[in-house]
Amino acid sequence: MKKEDIKLDLNNNLVNLSNSLLKFYDCDIFHPSIPYIDEILKKRKNKKICILLYDGFGKIIFDTYKDDIPFLNSHIFKTFSSIYPPTTVAATDAFLTGKYPRENGFVGWNQYFKNIDKFIDVFLNKDSVNDEIIKDDVTKSFLKPKFIDEIINEKNNKEIATIIKSLSYKNEDKHDDFDKFFKVVNDSLKKYDFIYAYSTEPDHTIHETGIKSEKIKNILIYLENKTKYLINNNPDTLFILIADHGFKDIEYIPLNEDNELIETLKDESKNAIFTIEPRFASFFVKDKEKFIEIYNKKYKDYFILMSKDELLNNDILGPTNSYLNKYCDYTLGDYILLATSSYMFSNKKSKDFEMKGTHAGVTKDELALYLAIFNK
């Protein structure tokens, strides 16, 4: 893969889908909507829609288990795209805001916040260097997003939209209670016109097992059965099933052992080594010539190197002419390494909990999604 191959379809991705929904609810839109979705929505006799986002359930997972999920597989409508980087923090927030990472500031799992000089795991609100929970909630205090439910409710002057997440409901083992999650979604359809329902599976388990496992198969069969019941029980609701990203089985590169590369980094970033994602890794570099030399010697077969300016000027994190959020600007270092193979970086001796599958690289397996539609 070459640099010029890294192209985002700016007319058929998660952001465009979100803008189609905003358009349907008479809200201002930020980017082009998707014409084939607009046509389906125009035919609706009511405004009841449920978006089901199953984390990690990209095209590669759909295709691998298609014989085990015939109901979901039979309702595939179109292939469309995640965004760069194809990872949960960036992709779910791109959908929820209707904006790209360069606009909303949600770029990846770990981000550098210049105003507090810390590398923070965004969703955990945790300092990634010392594992301490930080005082300021970076989402609420700094990024301050306005999500799709809030936009729809403000436009309609009443609460007709809501967000439901499986991680809000825990069982006795402190795992997500999916029976409770699906019950809440079903019950909420009696009250709301628009629901965004987010499931942490199959992502959570694919990280643990890799793409192919009996455990994943069983989870997908469970999701198939629960989804089928939910849809059949609510025939007046249009259901759209999507994912945020796909997956790649991976191998590790323990970057914490590469002292030669670490010595090229700016002092304040040596402990963190890189920011954003292990397959979309951003580096703050003091010795650029040496950094590029090491890249060419060790990593060019597995990653594409781009400068910050190249990344921002090639429609990768969103259209080049769109607003650049300062928190996106802060977290982008001098160079970014984008994974094109099965490798990911690790900056810890723990190898990031020995994950067997992950995402955020620029391969088709990580980027390609299906859009399945029910009750249309």
Side-chain angles (χ1 to χ4, degrees), residues 29-278:
I29 63 173
F30 311 107
H31 293 284
S33 58
I34 301 178
Y36 63 80
I37 294 295
D38 295 340
E39 285 302 311
I40 290 173
L41 296 178
K42 281 180 184 178
K43 298 175 183 178
R44 298 295 297 163
K45 294 181 179 179
N46 63 53
K47 293 205 169 187
K48 196 171 283 290
I49 299 173
C50 181
I51 300 295
L52 301 169
L53 194 153
Y54 295 167
D55 198 323
F57 194 25
K59 182 178 183 293
I60 182 64
I61 306 304
F62 236 116
D63 290 347
T64 301
Y65 294 94
K66 63 182 180 180
D67 293 336
D68 302 302
I69 49 173
F71 176 71
L72 299 181
N73 191 62
S74 67
H75 286 80
I76 293 172
F77 183 69
K78 293 280 187 180
T79 301
F80 77 131
S81 178
S82 182
I83 50 90
Y84 289 122
T87 189
T88 303
V89 171
T92 59
D93 286 301
F95 175 82
L96 286 171
T97 61
K99 299 179 180 180
Y100 291 95
R102 66 174 287 142
E103 299 172 296
N104 63 29
F106 289 92
V107 187
W109 180 257
N110 176 264
Q111 296 186 202
Y112 176 64
F113 286 83
K114 182 178 180 180
N115 48 323
I116 55 174
D117 192 26
K118 292 181 183 296
F119 291 80
I120 304 297
D121 293 342
V122 175
F123 279 179
L124 301 180
N125 207 58
K126 184 176 70 173
D127 187 321
S128 63
V129 175
N130 57 30
D131 286 337
E132 292 180 358
I133 301 297
I134 67 165
K135 180 180 179 181
D136 295 306
D137 186 308
V138 296
T139 296
K140 293 179 180 178
S141 299
F142 304 144
L143 296 167
K144 299 179 181 178
K146 181 173 283 190
F147 290 144
I148 191 170
D149 60 323
E150 185 180 356
I151 298 171
I152 292 172
N153 288 336
E154 285 184 359
K155 179 64 179 180
N156 289 270
N157 294 313
K158 58 181 177 179
E159 194 172 344
I160 65 169
T162 193
I163 291 174
I164 301 170
K165 298 181 180 181
S166 66
L167 47 82
S168 299
Y169 308 97
K170 301 295 182 182
N171 56 29
E172 292 180 356
D173 296 326
K174 296 184 179 179
H175 297 140
D176 288 12
D177 187 335
F178 287 97
D179 287 344
K180 177 67 172 177
F181 166 70
F182 279 103
K183 183 180 185 305
V184 171
V185 174
N186 183 69
D187 292 346
S188 297
L189 284 167
K190 299 177 178 65
K191 177 180 178 182
Y192 296 98
D193 287 345
F194 176 84
I195 291 177
Y196 167 84
Y198 166 82
S199 164
T200 55
E201 292 288 6
D203 175 273
H204 178 78
T205 302
I206 301 175
H207 279 300
E208 172 191 329
T209 69
I211 290 172
K212 295 181 180 180
S213 76
E214 193 69 17
K215 194 171 182 180
I216 299 299
K217 175 182 173 180
N218 290 335
I219 286 171
L220 293 178
I221 291 172
Y222 171 86
L223 291 174
E224 157 111 343
N225 292 332
K226 284 292 187 179
T227 306
K228 185 175 183 179
Y229 174 82
L230 179 66
I231 289 165
N232 290 340
N233 197 48
N234 295 277
D236 62 334
T237 299
L238 177 71
F239 288 86
I240 300 177
L241 172 62
I242 58 174
D244 48 353
H245 56 75
F247 258 91
K248 194 82 173 172
D249 286 341
I250 52 94
E251 300 175 72
Y252 283 90
I253 295 176
L255 212 57
N256 56 291
E257 297 175 8
D258 190 343
N259 292 323
E260 185 182 26
L261 181 138
I262 291 172
E263 282 304 307
T264 71
L265 304 180
K266 294 178 180 177
D267 290 343
E268 61 268 28
S269 66
K270 285 184 179 180
N271 288 328
I273 304 180
F274 62 86
T275 186
I276 302 181
E277 292 276 351

Side-chain angles (χ1 to χ4, degrees), residues 339-370:
T340 60
S341 66
S342 62
Y343 283 93
M344 65 170 272
F345 290 125
S346 171
N347 60 1
K348 298 179 181 179
K349 293 180 181 179
S350 65
K351 289 190 178 180
D352 298 311
F353 311 107
E354 298 288 351
M355 290 189 297
K356 294 183 179 179
T358 195
H359 43 82
V362 294
T363 69
K364 290 182 179 178
D365 286 349
E366 294 159 282
L367 198 66
L369 309 177
Y370 279 135

